[in-house]
Amino acid sequence: MTQYGALKRNDLESYPDAITDQGQGSGARSLQAPGSIRFFDYRPTPADVRAEVLEGLGRSVKRLSPKLFYDQRGSRLFDAITELPEYYPTRTEIGILRDHGSEMADRLGRDNVLIELGSGSSLKIQTLLAALQPSVYLPVDISKEHLLESAHALAERFPALAIRAACADYSAPFKLPLEPEWTDLAAFFPGSSIGNFDPVDARQLLGRVAGLLGPGGRLLIGVDLPKDPAILNAAYDDAQGVTAAFNLNLLTRINRELEGDFDLDAFAHRAFFNLAESRVEMHLVSRVEQRVRVAGEVFAFRVGETIHTENSYKYGIDAFHRLAENAGFVAEQVWTDPEALFSVHCLRVLETTPHPG
Ligand code: AVJ
């Protein structure tokens, strides 16, 4: 599998060993029966998590990947964030999906295989499913608990839908449990999760999605817009401290999973809009000079030194069009809310994708 550029359809169709929760055995080649859930586990191993954490903390500018936020508690805290008065993205995006769902369905087409990247609690897809009417729904999420819970909730509400849940890290080249006869693919990538990637990685990820969908395939993607920094700063540093707890939970997770001894009281949450980079940054700031052990290694912190835990890039419509075009898509349509807080784009994969790299 090449590191750069779009993958060929066949790379992603290769059928992996899978743990199935219901339904037929993994050799099945027929279209999945409606109303069933099949579960496929491609999770990163604990060894991968350990290596990534040690590498990030070992840097001169310390960093941890935002995908580490989403353990069981972190996923719950994120759900709580989406309901905060200051955190406008979730409710604004759901409003856009509700108001324009049938137009979106006209663009995406119906009776297709709908892949959702980072499905989380699947709230957004519930807003769209009635309009989109896919024949198969394929949620992909890094949190197994979230994925299974929401797949079961969805199966109850939409008994006619065949569901294939894939627990995977889509930030690296990933496989999906697709059948060769499934040629009509669409993807839904909501929540402005694309903003977690720096622009080079974002282009690469979108390029991989384009390769997965194939020429003519469509991607519906939610993208947070640049706006008044006061609104952004409040959204990532809420009055109730839920975002602070979400950020600090990274350290709790490391303490538990990697025998860490982080003192949570010795770190503070910091979030701010970096205008020059058009991104919100989240950091954990060391309140004191200290040493911390993780997986047998020692890391020293100066007073005020930070661990950079997340970037959340904000793209204006033109800037996002440029990114999408560089990844092999053509911009078809964009919807926003009346206050222009958030955008949802429909992109189509070009017939010939640009040369990778
Ligand atoms: C899930 C990446 C879209 O960047 O707004 C929310 C994560 N971080 N509050 C975002 C998040 C802090 C969120 N994304």
Side-chain angles (χ1 to χ4, degrees), residues 236-261:
Y236 291 84
D237 193 5
D238 62 280
Q240 292 170 64
V242 181
T243 310
F246 174 71
N247 198 7
L248 286 159
N249 181 56
L250 262 182
L251 305 183
T252 308
R253 178 177 184 179
I254 291 171
N255 285 351
R256 183 184 63 242
E257 292 183 17
L258 298 171
E259 292 170 36
D261 67 356

Short mmCIF file of all heavy atoms in Angstrom, two decimals, residues 236-261:
data_model
loop_
_atom_site.label_atom_id
_atom_site.label_comp_id
_atom_site.label_asym_id
_atom_site.label_seq_id
_atom_site.Cartn_x
_atom_site.Cartn_y
_atom_site.Cartn_z
N TYR A 236 -14.23 26.18 22.43
CA TYR A 236 -13.19 25.21 22.81
C TYR A 236 -12.69 25.42 24.24
O TYR A 236 -11.73 24.77 24.66
CB TYR A 236 -12.04 25.24 21.80
CG TYR A 236 -12.47 24.69 20.45
CD1 TYR A 236 -13.13 25.49 19.53
CD2 TYR A 236 -12.28 23.35 20.15
CE1 TYR A 236 -13.58 24.97 18.31
CE2 TYR A 236 -12.71 22.82 18.95
CZ TYR A 236 -13.36 23.64 18.04
OH TYR A 236 -13.80 23.11 16.85
N ASP A 237 -13.32 26.35 24.95
CA ASP A 237 -12.98 26.56 26.36
C ASP A 237 -14.26 26.97 27.07
O ASP A 237 -14.43 28.12 27.48
CB ASP A 237 -11.89 27.64 26.48
CG ASP A 237 -11.29 27.66 27.88
OD1 ASP A 237 -11.65 26.80 28.71
OD2 ASP A 237 -10.47 28.56 28.16
N ASP A 238 -15.15 26.02 27.24
CA ASP A 238 -16.50 26.31 27.72
C ASP A 238 -16.50 26.61 29.22
O ASP A 238 -15.61 26.18 29.96
CB ASP A 238 -17.40 25.11 27.43
CG ASP A 238 -16.92 23.87 28.15
OD1 ASP A 238 -15.98 23.22 27.67
OD2 ASP A 238 -17.48 23.55 29.20
N ALA A 239 -17.55 27.32 29.65
CA ALA A 239 -17.67 27.77 31.04
C ALA A 239 -17.77 26.61 32.02
O ALA A 239 -17.28 26.70 33.15
CB ALA A 239 -18.89 28.69 31.16
N GLN A 240 -18.40 25.50 31.58
CA GLN A 240 -18.57 24.36 32.51
C GLN A 240 -17.32 23.49 32.62
O GLN A 240 -17.28 22.57 33.43
CB GLN A 240 -19.73 23.48 32.04
CG GLN A 240 -21.10 24.13 32.16
CD GLN A 240 -22.17 23.30 31.46
OE1 GLN A 240 -22.45 22.18 31.86
NE2 GLN A 240 -22.75 23.85 30.40
N GLY A 241 -16.35 23.73 31.76
CA GLY A 241 -15.11 22.96 31.85
C GLY A 241 -15.19 21.56 31.26
O GLY A 241 -14.34 20.70 31.56
N VAL A 242 -16.18 21.32 30.41
CA VAL A 242 -16.30 19.98 29.81
C VAL A 242 -15.16 19.74 28.81
O VAL A 242 -14.57 18.65 28.78
CB VAL A 242 -17.67 19.79 29.12
CG1 VAL A 242 -17.79 18.40 28.53
CG2 VAL A 242 -18.80 20.05 30.10
N THR A 243 -14.81 20.76 28.03
CA THR A 243 -13.71 20.61 27.07
C THR A 243 -12.39 20.43 27.81
O THR A 243 -11.53 19.64 27.37
CB THR A 243 -13.66 21.81 26.11
OG1 THR A 243 -14.96 22.03 25.57
CG2 THR A 243 -12.68 21.55 24.98
N ALA A 244 -12.24 21.12 28.94
CA ALA A 244 -11.03 20.93 29.76
C ALA A 244 -10.94 19.48 30.23
O ALA A 244 -9.88 18.84 30.16
CB ALA A 244 -11.05 21.89 30.94
N ALA A 245 -12.07 18.92 30.69
CA ALA A 245 -12.08 17.53 31.16
C ALA A 245 -11.77 16.57 30.01
O ALA A 245 -11.05 15.57 30.19
CB ALA A 245 -13.44 17.20 31.77
N PHE A 246 -12.29 16.88 28.82
CA PHE A 246 -12.05 16.08 27.61
C PHE A 246 -10.55 16.08 27.28
O PHE A 246 -9.96 15.03 27.01
CB PHE A 246 -12.87 16.71 26.48
CG PHE A 246 -12.67 16.13 25.11
CD1 PHE A 246 -13.16 14.87 24.78
CD2 PHE A 246 -12.05 16.89 24.11
CE1 PHE A 246 -13.03 14.37 23.49
CE2 PHE A 246 -11.92 16.39 22.82
CZ PHE A 246 -12.40 15.13 22.51
N ASN A 247 -9.93 17.25 27.35
CA ASN A 247 -8.51 17.38 27.05
C ASN A 247 -7.67 16.63 28.10
O ASN A 247 -6.81 15.80 27.77
CB ASN A 247 -8.17 18.87 27.00
CG ASN A 247 -6.86 19.18 26.28
OD1 ASN A 247 -6.23 18.29 25.68
ND2 ASN A 247 -6.43 20.43 26.34
N LEU A 248 -7.99 16.87 29.38
CA LEU A 248 -7.23 16.22 30.46
C LEU A 248 -7.43 14.71 30.51
O LEU A 248 -6.58 13.97 31.03
CB LEU A 248 -7.62 16.85 31.81
CG LEU A 248 -7.04 18.25 32.04
CD1 LEU A 248 -7.84 19.01 33.10
CD2 LEU A 248 -5.56 18.16 32.47
N ASN A 249 -8.55 14.23 29.97
CA ASN A 249 -8.82 12.79 29.96
C ASN A 249 -7.73 12.00 29.22
O ASN A 249 -7.52 10.82 29.48
CB ASN A 249 -10.20 12.52 29.36
CG ASN A 249 -10.54 11.04 29.35
OD1 ASN A 249 -10.52 10.39 30.39
ND2 ASN A 249 -10.84 10.49 28.17
N LEU A 250 -7.05 12.69 28.29
CA LEU A 250 -5.91 12.06 27.61
C LEU A 250 -4.89 11.54 28.61
O LEU A 250 -4.34 10.44 28.46
CB LEU A 250 -5.20 13.12 26.75
CG LEU A 250 -5.50 13.20 25.28
CD1 LEU A 250 -4.66 14.28 24.64
CD2 LEU A 250 -5.21 11.86 24.64
N LEU A 251 -4.64 12.37 29.63
CA LEU A 251 -3.64 12.00 30.64
C LEU A 251 -4.15 10.85 31.50
O LEU A 251 -3.40 9.94 31.86
CB LEU A 251 -3.28 13.21 31.50
CG LEU A 251 -2.78 14.44 30.72
CD1 LEU A 251 -2.39 15.56 31.68
CD2 LEU A 251 -1.62 14.09 29.79
N THR A 252 -5.45 10.87 31.82
CA THR A 252 -6.06 9.77 32.57
C THR A 252 -5.91 8.47 31.78
O THR A 252 -5.59 7.42 32.34
CB THR A 252 -7.56 10.06 32.80
OG1 THR A 252 -7.69 11.36 33.37
CG2 THR A 252 -8.20 9.02 33.70
N ARG A 253 -6.16 8.56 30.48
CA ARG A 253 -6.06 7.38 29.63
C ARG A 253 -4.64 6.84 29.61
O ARG A 253 -4.41 5.63 29.71
CB ARG A 253 -6.53 7.72 28.21
CG ARG A 253 -6.39 6.55 27.29
CD ARG A 253 -6.91 6.81 25.90
NE ARG A 253 -6.81 5.58 25.11
CZ ARG A 253 -7.20 5.48 23.86
NH1 ARG A 253 -7.72 6.51 23.22
NH2 ARG A 253 -7.07 4.33 23.22
N ILE A 254 -3.67 7.75 29.49
CA ILE A 254 -2.27 7.32 29.47
C ILE A 254 -1.89 6.70 30.81
O ILE A 254 -1.21 5.67 30.86
CB ILE A 254 -1.35 8.51 29.09
CG1 ILE A 254 -1.57 8.87 27.62
CG2 ILE A 254 0.12 8.18 29.36
CD1 ILE A 254 -0.89 10.16 27.20
N ASN A 255 -2.35 7.32 31.91
CA ASN A 255 -2.07 6.74 33.23
C ASN A 255 -2.59 5.31 33.32
O ASN A 255 -1.92 4.42 33.84
CB ASN A 255 -2.72 7.59 34.33
CG ASN A 255 -1.94 8.88 34.59
OD1 ASN A 255 -0.84 9.06 34.06
ND2 ASN A 255 -2.52 9.78 35.35
N ARG A 256 -3.79 5.09 32.80
CA ARG A 256 -4.42 3.77 32.90
C ARG A 256 -3.78 2.76 31.94
O ARG A 256 -3.43 1.65 32.31
CB ARG A 256 -5.92 3.89 32.63
CG ARG A 256 -6.69 2.57 32.78
CD ARG A 256 -8.16 2.73 32.40
NE ARG A 256 -8.31 3.09 31.00
CZ ARG A 256 -8.86 4.23 30.57
NH1 ARG A 256 -9.30 5.13 31.41
NH2 ARG A 256 -8.94 4.46 29.27
N GLU A 257 -3.64 3.16 30.68
CA GLU A 257 -3.24 2.18 29.65
C GLU A 257 -1.74 2.01 29.52
O GLU A 257 -1.27 1.00 29.01
CB GLU A 257 -3.82 2.58 28.28
CG GLU A 257 -5.33 2.45 28.23
CD GLU A 257 -5.91 2.78 26.85
OE1 GLU A 257 -5.15 2.79 25.85
OE2 GLU A 257 -7.13 3.04 26.79
N LEU A 258 -0.98 3.03 29.96
CA LEU A 258 0.46 2.98 29.72
C LEU A 258 1.26 3.18 31.01
O LEU A 258 2.40 3.64 30.97
CB LEU A 258 0.86 4.05 28.68
CG LEU A 258 0.25 3.86 27.29
CD1 LEU A 258 0.51 5.07 26.42
CD2 LEU A 258 0.80 2.61 26.63
N GLU A 259 0.64 2.84 32.12
CA GLU A 259 1.30 2.98 33.41
C GLU A 259 1.95 4.34 33.57
O GLU A 259 3.13 4.45 33.91
CB GLU A 259 2.32 1.85 33.61
CG GLU A 259 1.66 0.49 33.76
CD GLU A 259 2.66 -0.65 33.72
OE1 GLU A 259 3.79 -0.49 34.23
OE2 GLU A 259 2.32 -1.70 33.16
N GLY A 260 1.16 5.37 33.32
CA GLY A 260 1.65 6.74 33.48
C GLY A 260 1.41 7.24 34.89
O GLY A 260 0.59 6.68 35.62
N ASP A 261 2.15 8.30 35.29
CA ASP A 261 1.86 8.90 36.59
C ASP A 261 1.62 10.40 36.47
O ASP A 261 2.05 11.18 37.32
CB ASP A 261 2.96 8.55 37.62
CG ASP A 261 4.30 9.19 37.30
OD1 ASP A 261 4.43 9.84 36.23
OD2 ASP A 261 5.23 9.04 38.11
#
